[in-house]
Amino acid sequence: MEIDHDEMMGRDAHPSLFNFLNVERPIREVGSSIVSLACEPDDYPRAKPRIRYENTYKMSPDAKVSVQQLRDIIHDEMESRLKDVTYVSEECKRLSKTLSQEIKRKVEQLPFRRYKIICLVTIGEKRGQDIRVGSRCIWDINYDTYAESTFENATLFAIGLVFTIYHE
């Protein structure tokens, strides 16, 4: 005859954390639940339904990107926003993001379709130092390109880069 140690101790065959701590689980009615929301569900924007496009089998763009147009957009935007700015790290951090978003928005308005656009803006303090900015990408030299522009004033420098990569 075998003695069941758990049966002798008054424990279930499958011990749980609640049995170990001698804590009883709260009994709830079937179907009841507790929901806690930090804000009302209507405060969040609803996700738009995804539009599914059919394949076009296009392997090349209708029009190539004009590097000069990209340079002009980058230069004009940096010139207008940075000409009277003095370098303050927190302000320039925010300004770098804003400039990048604005440049990207303007590039997206150009008549080039099916391109992925990547925009980077670097702002730094002028203290007599040298700086080099490098990047690497795997891309198609026939359709993908980039443009850059630089800006300087008495207290800061800025480098703007826009990459356009054709998305087949």
Side-chain angles (χ1 to χ4, degrees), residues 57-71:
Y57 303 103
K58 259 188 148 168
M59 299 304 286
S60 62
D62 295 331
K64 287 181 122 179
V65 175
S66 168
V67 175
Q68 190 56 46
Q69 279 184 313
L70 296 178
R71 271 194 198 116

Side-chain angles (χ1 to χ4, degrees), residues 54-116:
E54 291 190 26
N55 292 335
T56 61
Y57 303 103
K58 259 188 148 168
M59 299 304 286
S60 62
D62 295 331
K64 287 181 122 179
V65 175
S66 168
V67 175
Q68 190 56 46
Q69 279 184 313
L70 296 178
R71 271 194 198 116
D72 291 343
I73 289 172
I74 299 167
H75 178 74
D76 294 344
E77 198 62 34
M78 288 198 307
E79 185 75 31
S80 68
R81 299 258 181 141
L82 297 175
K83 64 182 173 187
D84 297 326
V85 175
T86 57
Y87 184 83
V88 176
S89 63
E90 287 302 315
E91 182 183 335
C92 287
K93 179 181 175 182
R94 181 189 50 76
L95 193 55
S96 175
K97 290 178 184 178
T98 305
L99 264 171
S100 181
Q101 290 169 348
E102 189 62 27
I103 290 169
K104 184 177 179 183
R105 188 185 63 76
K106 286 187 176 185
V107 171
E108 286 174 342
Q109 292 175 352
L110 295 175
F112 309 118
R113 301 291 169 248
R114 300 176 67 102
Y115 277 92
K116 289 190 178 189

Side-chain angles (χ1 to χ4, degrees), residues 134-138 163:
S135 60
R136 290 183 175 186
C137 292
I138 297 175
F163 298 91

